[in-house]
């Protein structure tokens, strides 16, 4: 096991395309760290640099106490699990798991012991003499995990290992991977584009955008205290609703309507007072909007909006709302206001709501849970 340190890491490709900018943070010994972000954000590139499969243009990469910039992948003592299972179809499960040990010249008795132990942990013992073609997708993924486990590496590196599985199996497998990592205590770096996967698996989560670190924190802190507009919108599903607003004293104006902010909001965010008389960006999570006619919430502010779509999901109802305020695009600050006026807010309503498309809904907004961002820097206001 080992800590992993990235110190001012840069990656520039031959066409001078900058894939990673000044990436600096530490992954603690035994920690489960998740890299998450949209396609092309650099998360897999960062993982491949840790593995040694991509060269580092500048900066230092340290595993344990060793700078490994120029150390071959095979000498870094790490194990990778990829999106593709990369199993040998003509070999049995036993032979697939044992393969890296045979290549390393490990004694036969020790190979058998390690393979049996990995199979027991991964519940593959009944399948050891079967070939991959006779296994389910989840079983094949566990074989790939077993091949990594038997090596007893200092770190596991996993690049979207569940993306080939169906939704139900993904949920099951991510729980199994977390339990396995906890049991083994091995430092693990896990890449995913799925923010739900990131939030449910990681001790900490690294959010990347266009090769730049946006925030690194625990899942709960990312959700409750996002560093900027991008993180706020990326973490949480459905995404946070973001609108242009103005503040005058304690009155927050959102389109043609206003919300009175209690003193507790300003106490929690001392920097907010400096925005009186100024514009800002307000963020409202879907779970902080409800149908005022049936809500159990207290201390809420009420506004209204037309309902454009209702999605009844059983335990909750997603309601789309046409607020008459200017939507803010989380990724592109240059999107014209006219292009965003047609976008709808989403509220996660109680299933007791009787609202239908075409109704004008009375909305219960929780002021204490609103998020505020500077319109120029797009960073959170605290």
């Amino acid at each position: 096991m080992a800590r992993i340190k990235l110190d001012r890491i840069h990656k520039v490709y031959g066409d001078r395309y900058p894939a990673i900018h000044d990436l600096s943070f530490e992954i603690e010994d035994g920690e489960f760290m998740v890299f998450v972000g949209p396609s092309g954000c650099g998360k897999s590139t960062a993982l491949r640099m840790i593995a040694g499969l991509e060269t580092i243009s500048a900066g230092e990469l340290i595993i344990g106490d060793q700078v490994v910039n120029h150390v071959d992948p095979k000498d870094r003592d790490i194990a990778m699990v990829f999106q593709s299972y990369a199993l040998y179809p003509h070999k049995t499960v036993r032979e697939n798991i044992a393969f890296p040990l045979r290549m390393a010249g490990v004694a036969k008795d020790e190979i058998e012991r390690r393979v049996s132990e990995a199979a027991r942990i991964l519940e593959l013992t009944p399948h050891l003499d079967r070939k991959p073609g006779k296994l389910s997708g989840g079983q094949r993924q566990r074989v790939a995990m077993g091949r990594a486990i038997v090596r007893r590496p200092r770190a596991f590196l996993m690049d979207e290992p569940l993306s080939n599985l169906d939704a139900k199996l993904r949920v099951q497998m991510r729980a199994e991977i977390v339990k396995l990592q906890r049991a083994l205590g091995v430092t693990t770096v896990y890449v995913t584009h799925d923010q739900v996967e990131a939030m449910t698996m990681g001790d900490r989560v690294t959010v990347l955008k266009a090769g730049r670190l946006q925030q690194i924190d625990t899942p709960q802190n990312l959700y409750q205290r996002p560093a900027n507009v991008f993180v706020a919108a990326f973490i949480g599903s459905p995404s946070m609703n973001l609108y242009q607003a103005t503040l005058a004293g304690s009155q927050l104006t959102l389109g043609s309507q206003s919300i009175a902010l209690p003193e507790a909001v300003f106490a929690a965010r001392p920097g907010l007072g400096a925005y009186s008389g100024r514009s800002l960006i307000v963020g409202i999570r879907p779970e902080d909007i409800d149908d005022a006619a049936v809500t159990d919430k207290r201390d809420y502010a009420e506004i209204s909006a037309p309902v454009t779509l209702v999605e009844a999901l059983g335990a909750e109802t997603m309601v789309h709302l046409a607020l008459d305020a200017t939507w803010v695009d989380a990724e592109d600050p240059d999107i014209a206001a006219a292009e965003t006026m047609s976008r709808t807010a989403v509220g996660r309503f109680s299933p007791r709501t009787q609202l239908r498309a075409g109704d004008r809904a009375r909305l219960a907004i929780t002021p204490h849970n609103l998020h505020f961002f500077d319109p120029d820097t797009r960073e959170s206001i605290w």
Side-chain angles (χ1 to χ4, degrees):
M1 294 184 289
R3 72 184 181 103
I4 299 171
K5 182 178 180 180
L6 289 76
D7 186 12
R8 303 185 69 82
I9 294 290
H10 292 259
K11 175 62 181 180
V12 180
Y13 285 106
D15 58 1
R16 305 191 64 81
Y17 172 74
I20 296 290
H21 306 260
D22 196 23
L23 207 56
S24 295
F25 56 87
E26 288 191 29
I27 302 165
E28 299 299 328
D29 188 6
E31 183 175 23
F32 196 123
M33 174 69 80
V34 179
F35 292 174
V36 70
S39 179
C41 71
K43 54 189 183 292
S44 289
T45 300
L47 188 81
R48 290 173 63 83
M49 286 194 290
I50 295 173
L53 303 177
E54 292 278 3
T55 59
I56 296 171
S57 302
E60 282 191 339
L61 176 66
I62 302 167
I63 299 179
D65 296 320
Q66 180 186 14
V67 177
V68 297
N69 289 43
H70 304 294
V71 174
D72 287 341
K74 63 183 177 63
D75 298 323
R76 295 191 183 193
D77 195 15
I78 52 92
M80 286 202 70
V81 180
F82 296 96
Q83 176 179 347
S84 60
Y85 313 125
L87 303 179
Y88 294 103
H90 60 286
K91 294 181 182 292
T92 64
V93 168
R94 187 190 309 276
E95 291 167 335
N96 268 282
I97 295 175
F99 183 77
L101 299 181
R102 295 189 188 284
M103 294 297 291
V106 176
K108 185 176 180 180
D109 288 349
E110 178 66 9
I111 291 175
E112 184 59 33
R113 192 182 68 79
R114 290 200 202 177
V115 169
S116 296
E117 181 184 16
R120 179 185 57 80
I121 292 171
L122 294 165
E123 299 181 357
L124 289 170
T125 303
H127 309 295
L128 281 173
D129 295 317
R130 299 174 70 185
K131 292 184 178 178
K134 301 294 184 181
L135 303 178
S136 69
Q139 289 167 338
R140 288 197 292 270
Q141 189 58 278
R142 289 205 296 271
V143 175
M145 292 288 298
R147 192 171 50 195
I149 289 171
V150 293
R151 293 182 53 189
R152 295 181 179 172
R154 292 195 293 176
F156 290 138
L157 307 182
M158 303 186 187
D159 193 358
E160 306 229 31
L162 306 183
S163 57
N164 286 337
L165 305 180
D166 62 55
K168 182 178 179 180
L169 193 52
R170 282 179 70 120
V171 173
Q172 178 187 336
M173 282 299 301
R174 75 191 187 204
E176 290 184 11
I177 288 174
V178 170
K179 287 195 307 186
L180 177 65
Q181 193 272 340
R182 297 286 187 271
L184 298 175
V186 177
T187 307
T188 299
V189 185
Y190 187 103
V191 163
T192 180
H193 66 277
D194 184 337
Q195 56 92 15
V196 174
E197 205 166 273
M199 296 286 280
T200 55
M201 296 182 75
D203 295 321
R204 286 191 300 160
V205 178
T206 297
V207 183
L208 296 169
K209 177 191 176 188
R212 297 182 185 275
L213 177 64
Q214 301 296 303
Q215 188 173 354
I216 179 170
D217 215 324
T218 63
Q220 198 63 26
N221 281 345
L222 287 177
Y223 178 82
Q224 294 180 340
R225 296 179 66 91
N228 55 42
V229 164
F230 175 79
V231 175
F234 193 81
I235 299 298
S237 180
S239 183
M240 181 184 288
N241 305 293
L242 295 160
Y243 285 98
Q244 293 180 12
T246 56
L247 185 63
S250 63
Q251 291 296 122
L252 181 73
T253 300
L254 189 64
S256 63
Q257 303 179 82
S258 65
I259 296 172
L261 301 181
E263 280 299 317
V265 172
F266 292 92
R269 298 170 179 264
L272 190 58
Y275 286 79
S276 184
R278 298 169 56 187
S279 64
L280 42 68
I281 297 170
V282 63
I284 315 171
R285 291 209 180 274
E287 49 270 37
D288 294 320
I289 310 175
D290 204 351
D291 181 351
V294 299
T295 188
D296 294 324
K297 294 177 180 177
R298 298 182 178 182
D299 300 323
Y300 64 80
E302 188 174 314
I303 60 175
S304 65
V307 176
T308 63
L309 177 66
V310 176
E311 299 173 294
L313 304 178
E316 59 190 9
T317 298
M318 298 299 177
V319 179
H320 296 245
L321 305 152
L323 288 178
D324 66 339
T326 302
W327 182 276
V328 172
D329 190 280
E331 295 200 38
D332 189 350
D334 297 322
I335 293 289
E339 296 179 48
T340 66
M341 288 301 291
S342 62
R343 300 197 189 180
T344 57
V346 178
R348 179 178 274 127
F349 282 24
S350 161
R352 293 176 294 157
T353 185
Q354 298 298 309
L355 290 168
R356 297 291 179 267
D359 292 346
R360 188 169 187 88
R362 293 169 45 229
L363 306 178
I365 306 291
T366 310
H368 298 83
N369 293 344
L370 294 176
H371 294 259
F372 303 93
F373 307 90
D374 184 283
D376 297 320
T377 67
R378 296 168 76 86
E379 295 180 353
S380 287
I381 301 170
W382 291 104

